Amino acid sequence: MAAMRAALFLDKGGVGKTTGTAHLGTALEKEGYRTLLIDLAGKQGDLSKHFGLWEELQAEDRWPNIATTFQDEWSIVVEKLDSALEDLIIETEEGPDIIPAHGSLDGLDAVLANIDEPAERYGRLDAFLTEYVDDDYDVILLDLPGSTSNIAYNGLWAARNVIAPVRPGPFEAGQAAQLRQDLDDIHEEQGVTIELTMVLLNEVDERTKAGRRYLEEFASEYPDAIAPAQIPSSQDIQNAQMDGTVLWSLERPSKTAQRAMAAYEEDARALIARLGGGN
Ligand SMILES: Nc1ncnc2c1ncn2[C@@H]1O[C@H](COP(=O)(O)OP(=O)(O)OP(=O)(O)O)[C@@H](O)[C@H]1O
Ligand SMILES: [Mg+2]
């Protein structure tokens, strides 16, 4: 059976795409779903930092890597190298498997820009996942860059479902409106439909007045997409990242960390239902 797929995306930096990918991915594993996370967000390797892989990755130049899978030679690589997929995908202690980002994604974006045919330009990741990866996983989550690019479009084409983390601030409503515009443009220009599957309010505390106001605003604007649970701001999220792990691995999680874990777990279950899985 094909894996359910979703991409964490918002046309804005620092909203919680990577944090959301790592934590929803780990929550999905805890719910019993075999989960693969793919970092398309660039060479700083943020996603791998949540799984203690960053130093190891910096020390070696991995090949094959995520950029290899976009290339025409990929089918030959798989044919000649029995371990190609095992070399590409890393298992984590926290649960999900991960395909880390790689520096050559930047150059790849420029190469894709020279291809005219939309399906050829934006459909490469989809083709790779469908042929080589889908059968081994229940869910695939993609961590996308905070701006539109050929790589981001490949992620959106492959997932067809967006989880948009939104962080409150003076422009929060505009961020989500921009995303709707982006998805409409893709529909017009590239001919594919991408659903806004989940709006994930990050760093919002429903117990405060401001938090409830944000929630109400987004719930009325996105009644079908709003996530059932909001993610509170938690210093432990940053502590976990600095320790190279996710919240569930902390020995003494704070109260806010516990609430964040429960929220991610609830949202992970809702995500499965919205992607048409579960029972
Ligand atoms: N709920 C939260 N509580 C506290 N800190 C958080 C929370 N969510 C995210 N952060 C912190 O905010 C920063 C930005 O988060 P993150 O890296 O997930 O955003 P991003 O959208 O992936 O950014 P980029 O566009 O740069 O890839 C990180 O340092 C992260 O640890
Ligand atoms: Mg990120």
Side-chain angles (χ1 to χ4, degrees):
M1 218 186 65
M4 294 172 263
R5 303 177 190 166
L8 283 278
F9 179 67
L10 190 75
D11 204 343
K12 177 144 199 310
V15 289
K17 296 181 292 293
T18 301
T19 307
T21 307
H23 285 85
L24 284 174
T26 306
L28 286 165
E29 278 279 340
K30 293 197 180 298
E31 296 286 325
Y33 297 96
R34 289 168 305 164
T35 305
L36 173 68
L37 310 179
I38 304 180
D39 187 353
L40 295 171
K43 56 175 171 284
Q44 74 274 21
D46 284 348
L47 186 62
S48 59
K49 285 178 192 158
H50 276 288
F51 299 99
L53 298 167
W54 177 235
E55 284 174 15
E56 167 191 340
L57 287 168
Q58 271 200 314
E60 51 180 52
D61 186 18
R62 289 180 77 86
W63 188 92
N65 56 63
I66 182 62
T68 323
T69 69
F70 281 70
Q71 281 150 7
D72 295 332
E73 300 84 51
W74 173 253
S75 57
I76 302 167
V77 172
V78 175
E79 210 173 286
K80 300 258 152 109
L81 181 67
D82 283 340
S83 64
L85 283 163
E86 280 164 49
D87 295 347
L88 178 71
I89 299 172
I90 305 178
E91 291 176 7
T92 72
E93 280 171 25
E94 288 79 0
D97 288 354
I98 173 171
I99 302 180
H102 190 268
S104 47
L105 280 174
D106 289 348
L108 178 68
D109 197 66
V111 172
L112 292 172
N114 294 322
I115 302 170
D116 286 334
E117 169 63 33
E120 260 297 299
R121 182 171 175 175
Y122 306 125
R124 293 187 170 227
L125 182 66
D126 183 35
F128 161 71
L129 294 178
T130 302
E131 180 154 1
Y132 297 100
V133 182
D134 258 354
D135 292 342
D136 293 332
Y137 294 95
D138 300 310
V139 190
I140 301 173
L141 295 183
L142 308 172
D143 182 16
L144 300 197
S147 59
T148 50
S149 66
N150 293 305
I151 302 292
Y153 289 139
N154 264 272
L156 294 171
W157 273 54
R160 302 291 166 108
N161 288 278
V162 171
I163 302 167
V166 182
R167 168 184 244 165
F171 308 111
E172 73 281 358
Q175 292 164 26
Q178 177 62 45
L179 174 65
R180 258 191 186 155
Q181 185 63 50
D182 286 345
L183 299 183
D184 284 350
D185 290 348
I186 292 172
H187 185 76
E188 286 279 304
E189 290 159 20
Q190 303 172 14
V192 297
T193 304
I194 293 157
E195 302 287 344
L196 179 53
T197 303
M198 185 171 276
V199 172
L200 187 58
L201 293 194
N202 191 21
E203 304 206 41
V204 170
D205 190 340
E206 287 170 65
R207 299 179 313 179
T208 67
K209 209 168 164 191
R212 280 195 300 277
R213 189 168 52 76
Y214 282 125
L215 178 58
E216 276 164 25
E217 232 172 76
F218 277 90
S220 65
E221 186 72 16
Y222 300 95
D224 300 326
I226 190 85
Q230 324 313 320
I231 313 300
S233 177
S234 172
Q235 179 63 39
D236 268 352
I237 287 185
Q238 286 164 43
N239 297 341
Q241 189 189 19
M242 278 186 286
D243 288 354
T245 191
V246 289
L247 287 173
W248 291 272
S249 302
L250 295 178
E251 256 169 50
R252 289 157 188 252
S254 61
K255 280 267 151 53
T256 48
Q258 290 175 25
R259 281 170 47 226
M261 286 185 276
Y264 279 122
E265 287 165 15
E266 187 177 348
D267 291 341
R269 288 189 290 272
L271 179 66
I272 293 294
R274 292 180 193 185
L275 294 174
N279 34 25

Short mmCIF file of all heavy atoms in Angstrom, two decimals, residues 17-18 41 46 143, ligand 2:
data_model
loop_
_atom_site.label_atom_id
_atom_site.label_comp_id
_atom_site.label_asym_id
_atom_site.label_seq_id
_atom_site.Cartn_x
_atom_site.Cartn_y
_atom_site.Cartn_z
N LYS A 17 8.62 24.38 11.19
CA LYS A 17 8.50 23.30 10.20
C LYS A 17 9.36 22.11 10.62
O LYS A 17 8.89 20.96 10.65
CB LYS A 17 8.95 23.77 8.81
CG LYS A 17 8.07 24.88 8.23
CD LYS A 17 8.52 25.30 6.84
CE LYS A 17 9.87 26.00 6.82
NZ LYS A 17 9.87 27.32 7.49
N THR A 18 10.60 22.40 10.96
CA THR A 18 11.52 21.31 11.30
C THR A 18 11.15 20.68 12.64
O THR A 18 11.11 19.46 12.78
CB THR A 18 12.97 21.85 11.32
OG1 THR A 18 13.25 22.37 10.03
CG2 THR A 18 13.95 20.75 11.67
N ALA A 41 15.20 20.80 3.40
CA ALA A 41 15.28 22.21 3.79
C ALA A 41 16.67 22.80 3.71
O ALA A 41 16.85 23.96 4.04
CB ALA A 41 14.70 22.39 5.18
N ASP A 46 19.07 20.89 9.84
CA ASP A 46 18.32 21.09 11.08
C ASP A 46 17.58 19.82 11.54
O ASP A 46 17.54 19.52 12.73
CB ASP A 46 17.30 22.22 10.91
CG ASP A 46 17.97 23.58 10.96
OD1 ASP A 46 19.14 23.64 11.35
OD2 ASP A 46 17.30 24.58 10.62
N ASP A 143 10.20 17.79 5.27
CA ASP A 143 10.53 19.09 5.88
C ASP A 143 11.02 20.00 4.75
O ASP A 143 12.08 19.77 4.19
CB ASP A 143 11.62 18.88 6.94
CG ASP A 143 11.98 20.17 7.66
OD1 ASP A 143 11.21 21.16 7.57
OD2 ASP A 143 13.04 20.19 8.32
MG MG B 2 13.56 24.16 9.21
#
